[in-house]
Amino acid sequence: MPTTAPRRPLSSPANRRAFLTATAATVLTSATAVASAAPATTRPAAAARPTTGEAALATLLEGNRRWAKIRSQHPHEDRARRIEVAHEQHPFAVVLSCVDSRVPPELVFDQGLGDLLCIRTAGEVLDEAVLGSIQYGVAELHIPLVLVLGHERCGAVAATIEQLRTGKEVPGHIARLVEGIGPSAWACRDEPGDWVDHTVAAHAERMRDALRADVAFRPATVVAARYDLDSGRVRVLR
Ligand SMILES: [Zn+2]
């Protein structure tokens, strides 16, 4: 016999209210307010967190150099780190990247638990949920860097170019991705060479420029970069 009462479904009004309250309290409470609840002895790494966009970018690129040379240190993956960040988080960079399974930001930049606020959509396409998530990082968590990461041989970019070339209808929700990437591809259609690779860079730069133009992200440094699947290296696009 079960010893606990059966759970009410989340869709019941009382449970939904409780969930929303708990979510809001957990997600939106400022880090400093929660900091007082955490034991001081469990926060030694907080001092090492980069506090400027340039320092954050340098830390990411240093981690990427380790990754590319197969010298990853896998920082912040131990039990002490898990305890340290259980009640507060101070990630130092927002990474907006593709969903591609070969480009996981924590591995590519050799970072660990609580270091990066990662947002991933196919082809780094922006929508309101993505913008809200980035704003949460910049405004609430005071993250100094937003990095938009495109990558070599991006399937979402390739699908977009295929659609532009053939005019064939794209199925279902994928059409939204093509719509988001299409202007980037169209802008570099006459450049000699690999249209997909040109679009990868052009699209990351266009997403970067859209974020830079938005007053919500003014407090942060916003950069675009391209990840090379063959070498493992990230190159900043300036
Ligand atoms: Zn991709």
Side-chain angles (χ1 to χ4, degrees), residues 98-100 122-124 151 153-157:
C98 184
V99 296
D100 195 293
E124 317 92 61
H151 70 94
R153 302 187 198 105
C154 180
V157 168

Short mmCIF file of all heavy atoms in Angstrom, two decimals, residues 98-100 122-124 151 153-157, ligand 1:
data_model
loop_
_atom_site.label_atom_id
_atom_site.label_comp_id
_atom_site.label_asym_id
_atom_site.label_seq_id
_atom_site.Cartn_x
_atom_site.Cartn_y
_atom_site.Cartn_z
N CYS A 98 23.79 26.97 -30.99
CA CYS A 98 22.91 26.03 -31.69
C CYS A 98 22.66 24.78 -30.82
O CYS A 98 23.43 24.48 -29.92
CB CYS A 98 23.57 25.63 -33.01
SG CYS A 98 22.56 24.56 -34.06
N VAL A 99 21.59 24.07 -31.15
CA VAL A 99 21.28 22.83 -30.42
C VAL A 99 22.18 21.67 -30.85
O VAL A 99 22.12 20.59 -30.25
CB VAL A 99 19.81 22.41 -30.64
CG1 VAL A 99 18.86 23.43 -30.06
CG2 VAL A 99 19.51 22.19 -32.12
N ASP A 100 23.00 21.87 -31.86
CA ASP A 100 23.82 20.80 -32.42
C ASP A 100 24.56 20.03 -31.32
O ASP A 100 25.21 20.64 -30.46
CB ASP A 100 24.82 21.41 -33.42
CG ASP A 100 25.46 20.35 -34.29
OD1 ASP A 100 26.23 19.53 -33.75
OD2 ASP A 100 25.19 20.35 -35.50
N ALA A 122 18.09 25.95 -32.47
CA ALA A 122 18.69 25.57 -33.75
C ALA A 122 19.05 26.84 -34.52
O ALA A 122 18.21 27.73 -34.72
CB ALA A 122 17.72 24.72 -34.55
N GLY A 123 20.30 26.95 -34.91
CA GLY A 123 20.76 28.12 -35.66
C GLY A 123 20.73 29.41 -34.85
O GLY A 123 20.70 30.51 -35.42
N GLU A 124 20.75 29.30 -33.51
CA GLU A 124 20.74 30.50 -32.63
C GLU A 124 19.64 31.49 -33.01
O GLU A 124 19.83 32.71 -32.96
CB GLU A 124 22.09 31.26 -32.65
CG GLU A 124 23.32 30.45 -32.60
CD GLU A 124 23.85 30.09 -33.96
OE1 GLU A 124 24.18 30.98 -34.75
OE2 GLU A 124 23.91 28.89 -34.27
N HIS A 151 28.29 27.76 -35.74
CA HIS A 151 29.27 26.69 -35.92
C HIS A 151 29.28 26.17 -37.35
O HIS A 151 28.31 26.25 -38.08
CB HIS A 151 28.98 25.53 -34.95
CG HIS A 151 27.73 24.77 -35.29
ND1 HIS A 151 27.74 23.64 -36.07
CD2 HIS A 151 26.44 25.00 -34.98
CE1 HIS A 151 26.50 23.20 -36.21
NE2 HIS A 151 25.69 24.01 -35.56
N ARG A 153 29.21 23.87 -40.57
CA ARG A 153 28.28 22.84 -41.06
C ARG A 153 26.99 22.77 -40.25
O ARG A 153 26.52 21.69 -39.88
CB ARG A 153 28.96 21.46 -41.07
CG ARG A 153 30.20 21.43 -41.91
CD ARG A 153 30.78 20.02 -42.06
NE ARG A 153 32.16 20.12 -42.51
CZ ARG A 153 33.22 19.91 -41.71
NH1 ARG A 153 33.06 19.54 -40.47
NH2 ARG A 153 34.44 20.06 -42.19
N CYS A 154 26.43 23.93 -39.95
CA CYS A 154 25.19 24.00 -39.17
C CYS A 154 24.02 23.48 -40.02
O CYS A 154 23.76 23.98 -41.11
CB CYS A 154 24.93 25.44 -38.73
SG CYS A 154 23.42 25.61 -37.76
N GLY A 155 23.32 22.48 -39.50
CA GLY A 155 22.20 21.88 -40.23
C GLY A 155 21.05 22.85 -40.44
O GLY A 155 20.37 22.81 -41.48
N ALA A 156 20.82 23.72 -39.48
CA ALA A 156 19.73 24.70 -39.61
C ALA A 156 20.04 25.69 -40.72
O ALA A 156 19.15 26.09 -41.49
CB ALA A 156 19.52 25.42 -38.28
N VAL A 157 21.30 26.08 -40.82
CA VAL A 157 21.72 26.99 -41.89
C VAL A 157 21.62 26.28 -43.24
O VAL A 157 21.12 26.84 -44.22
CB VAL A 157 23.16 27.50 -41.64
CG1 VAL A 157 23.71 28.20 -42.88
CG2 VAL A 157 23.18 28.44 -40.44
ZN ZN B 1 23.65 24.26 -35.93
#
